[in-house]
Amino acid sequence: MTILVTGATGHLGRLVIDSLLARGAEPHSIVAGARDTAKAADLAARGVTVRALDYSAPATVTSSLEGVDTVLLISGSEIGQRTAQHQAVIDAAVAANVSKFVYTSLAHADTSVLPLAPEHQDTERAIAASGLPAVILRNNWYTENYAADLARAAETGVVASSVGDGRIASATRADFADAAAVVVLEDGHVGEVYELSGDTSWTFDDFAAAAAEITGRPVAYQPLTTQEQSAALEAAGLDAGTIGFVTALEAGIRDGALADADGTLTRLIGRPTTPLVAGLRPLV
């Protein structure tokens, strides 16, 4: 088996490669697709094959798939461009007749109201239409997404958000990376859509308590209305488009878009997911 990991120099991609190697994959069987191959020099030093892969340059996508059996498409980071970028990978995978195509999507992507959802919906539909033998990994939030909130809590003793009492069933990138590695390496997953989350969901009151434990200072959660959040973001210099995106994201979380916690991720990786405090602690 030859495995292509796209976005291999990103946070998640590197962890997936670490997990593949830890689970016995031969380094030469892994192809690390990277926009900037210089950033993958450490992967090459470990024996991993490195190929140029730019989602926006279809010729590089095609060449990166040469001799590849399995593709892990890690969703791109350029919001607004991802539908076309992902389509390029799907088309190249069809042409290469790959035997397994794995995609990292969003929690409950088919019904989610989060502003991130439409491009994931487009990609899932494109994968289904392609006929590729596919596995969809619908990842909940990464605990690491709250590194900036933890830093502000350490500095000010306050964490402010308009998520209200919304719950978040986050897990660490390493947890999700392990699941991707398992699905890539094991048989029996094609055709599945996995909703992946942490074992336990948490509120921002819980986050404040975790931040206090980690930083050693009192931390309070300050709930904001959407209007108050918008004003705070505007005062921080954010443009109207970004403010609208952030407040829509937090409104979705407030309404439960990331609340569902079940044992699917734990079942796949064979261990409990990383608790909130343990996931946040390395971010200090």
Side-chain angles (χ1 to χ4, degrees):
M1 181 193 300
T2 302
I3 304 158
L4 170 65
V5 178
T6 75
T9 57
H11 294 299
L12 183 62
R14 285 186 178 279
L15 289 169
V16 171
I17 291 175
D18 287 343
S19 186
L20 288 170
L21 293 170
R23 292 174 183 273
E26 295 292 337
H28 61 79
S29 73
I30 302 171
V31 177
R35 180 180 298 178
D36 183 352
T37 55
K39 293 181 179 179
D42 60 314
L43 298 175
R46 299 168 71 184
V48 173
T49 301
V50 175
R51 294 179 184 171
L53 193 164
D54 184 339
Y55 292 137
S56 296
T60 69
V61 178
T62 299
S63 61
S64 71
L65 271 151
E66 184 177 348
V68 166
D69 305 300
T70 298
V71 174
L72 171 62
L73 170 56
I74 294 177
S75 54
S77 59
E78 296 174 295
I79 296 169
Q81 302 181 47
R82 296 189 294 181
T83 296
Q85 291 174 339
H86 296 168
Q87 186 69 60
V89 181
I90 294 165
D91 292 343
V94 170
N97 196 31
V98 302
S99 58
K100 186 186 294 182
F101 190 91
V102 183
Y103 174 61
T104 62
S105 189
L106 174 71
H108 301 290
D110 54 339
T111 59
S112 177
V113 298
L114 295 180
L116 293 169
E119 288 176 307
H120 290 293
Q121 294 166 355
D122 290 344
T123 302
E124 289 194 15
R125 283 192 291 265
I127 292 169
S130 74
L132 285 167
V135 189
I136 306 298
L137 305 178
R138 289 180 173 166
N139 292 350
N140 202 292
W141 240 220
Y142 303 137
T143 299
E144 292 90 343
N145 289 350
Y146 292 100
D149 295 89
L150 181 60
R152 282 191 291 271
E155 180 181 352
T156 67
V158 174
V159 56
S161 174
S162 59
V163 299
D165 294 326
R167 304 191 72 88
I168 300 165
S170 72
T172 63
R173 287 193 182 99
D175 294 334
F176 291 113
D178 279 350
V182 166
V183 166
V184 163
L185 292 173
E186 289 184 352
D187 294 331
H189 298 288
V190 168
E192 297 290 345
V193 177
Y194 290 124
E195 295 287 348
L196 303 181
S197 70
D199 294 331
T200 305
S201 64
W202 49 268
T203 67
F204 258 68
D205 282 321
D206 298 322
F207 182 90
E213 179 178 339
I214 292 165
T215 62
R217 66 168 298 169
V219 177
Y221 169 42
Q222 180 184 357
L224 303 175
T225 65
T226 296
Q227 292 73 24
E228 289 168 338
Q229 178 80 321
S230 296
L233 294 173
E234 184 177 5
L238 274 66
D239 62 87
T242 302
I243 292 170
F245 180 86
V246 171
T247 54
L249 193 64
E250 297 206 345
I253 294 172
R254 184 177 63 238
D255 293 339
L258 299 176
D260 289 347
D262 66 33
T264 303
L265 179 52
T266 281
R267 178 172 60 80
L268 283 175
I269 64 180
R271 61 170 175 81
T273 59
T274 308
L276 180 61
V277 170
L280 291 172
R281 198 178 296 279
L283 308 179
V284 176

